[in-house]
Amino acid sequence: MPDLVISGDDFSVWQGSGTGSFSKSTVISQTSPGTPVIGDFNGDGANDIAALNGGQLTVLFNDGQGHFPVSLAEVVPGNFAGSGFRSVDLNNDGLSDLVFTSPGASSCWNVPHECSSPSMGPSSVETLLSNGDGTFKSSYLPTTDPNAVNGAFQVLDINSDGAPDIVIATTNELVSLYYNQSATIGALVASNSTPYAGQTIQLTATVKSSLTNGLDPAGTVQYVEDGTVLGTATIASDVATFTTPALQTGTHIFSAIYQGDSLHSVNHFGKLSISVPVQQSTTLLVQ
């Protein structure tokens, strides 16, 4: 059942009763705690707390019992003004990432590409991708409209490709829409759907960006049979091909897992079932 985290002079965690009432269970002392969001920032399955105040980010780790004995502080880019702070998994890696708006110029901070200037204009959207240990790597979305409203944005999947996008409102009744390029689409096919025992087949995975004009995914595809990793193949011209070992009689369930790259997230393709029949023996009678 949902609980509440309230920020004031400190953080207080209120546990839900399931009947619409709450009782205070934990008080976490913090100096200038800031605006909190909830997410799993270290991949242990427990909801942690991330709080942002100006350029200071604090992550409070949940021990799984609703207590937060360990915290980690980090300086982040921009100057968060107290609105528009979201926790969402942007790259489908199972870890919660952070998105917030910065009303002023923001310096380039840990950005995985060269910055063309020391600032990004009057307003920006900062995206902090989780490293899985409570730290983050940063990117940014420079807003092209100086009338962008600080904090007036939403994160949701606009084009139904499985990756959350970002929509920003402006004071001149326009919106800026940023499509998440991390999503991919793919298909897995076999060279022979009716092999016989002892035969090998080729599995071919096609991996493309979910966006019409998106950059081509790079990297490798991992091939799995019934939970066992068979091997990997490198993507070339949108496809990765792998030859299976000799197949034995029975049903084989194959799947392909795109391993992702610096721009695209991991993607599990649908399963492919191949049945290898029992070979019939033939007896020849000679009289």
Side-chain angles (χ1 to χ4, degrees), residues 174-235:
L174 298 176
V175 296
S176 296
L177 175 58
Y178 294 90
Y179 286 108
N180 190 334
Q181 192 171 261
S182 69
T184 56
I185 54 176
L188 178 63
V189 297
S191 60
N192 185 356
S193 61
T194 57
Y196 52 82
Q199 187 178 14
T200 64
I201 60 174
Q202 281 193 335
L203 301 174
T204 300
T206 302
V207 186
K208 294 183 178 182
S209 170
S210 63
L211 301 181
T212 302
N213 297 316
L215 296 177
D216 292 334
T220 60
V221 173
Q222 183 182 79
Y223 291 87
V224 178
E225 179 187 357
D226 298 323
T228 301
V229 176
L230 298 178
T232 60
T234 301
I235 297 173

Side-chain angles (χ1 to χ4, degrees), residues 24-191:
K24 184 186 292 188
S25 63
T26 305
V27 176
I28 309 167
S29 297
Q30 290 285 316
T31 302
S32 302
T35 301
V37 293
I38 304 300
D40 183 6
F41 302 110
N42 58 356
D44 64 355
N47 281 328
D48 309 307
I49 301 173
L52 189 57
N53 187 5
Q56 179 76 29
L57 174 68
T58 302
V59 178
L60 306 169
F61 296 104
N62 191 337
D63 64 0
Q65 303 298 319
H67 303 106
F68 301 82
V70 179
S71 64
L72 179 65
E74 184 176 4
V75 177
V76 298
N79 180 25
F80 179 64
S83 62
F85 186 31
R86 306 281 192 275
S87 169
V88 61
D89 185 359
L90 291 170
N91 54 355
N92 296 326
D93 63 354
L95 298 169
S96 298
D97 308 307
L98 299 173
V99 184
F100 69 95
T101 51
S102 177
S106 173
S107 60
C108 299
W109 175 82
N110 195 19
V111 178
H113 55 77
E114 183 179 357
C115 296
S116 59
S117 64
S119 66
M120 296 183 291
S123 182
S124 65
V125 174
E126 306 287 350
T127 59
L128 306 180
L129 300 181
S130 177
N131 292 320
D133 58 1
T135 65
F136 299 83
K137 50 183 173 286
S138 174
S139 184
Y140 67 88
L141 297 172
T143 58
T144 57
D145 193 330
N147 297 313
V149 179
N150 177 45
F153 76 97
Q154 189 56 266
V155 183
L156 68 165
D157 186 1
I158 293 293
N159 55 348
S160 300
D161 65 355
D165 310 303
I166 299 177
V167 183
I168 306 171
T170 68
T171 56
N172 53 9
E173 299 181 357
L174 298 176
V175 296
S176 296
L177 175 58
Y178 294 90
Y179 286 108
N180 190 334
Q181 192 171 261
S182 69
T184 56
I185 54 176
L188 178 63
V189 297
S191 60

Side-chain angles (χ1 to χ4, degrees), residues 238-261:
D238 298 333
V239 299
T241 301
F242 179 80
T243 300
T244 69
L247 301 180
Q248 303 300 314
T249 300
T251 300
H252 302 262
I253 307 297
F254 297 104
S255 60
I257 306 172
Y258 171 52
Q259 300 297 292
D261 60 18

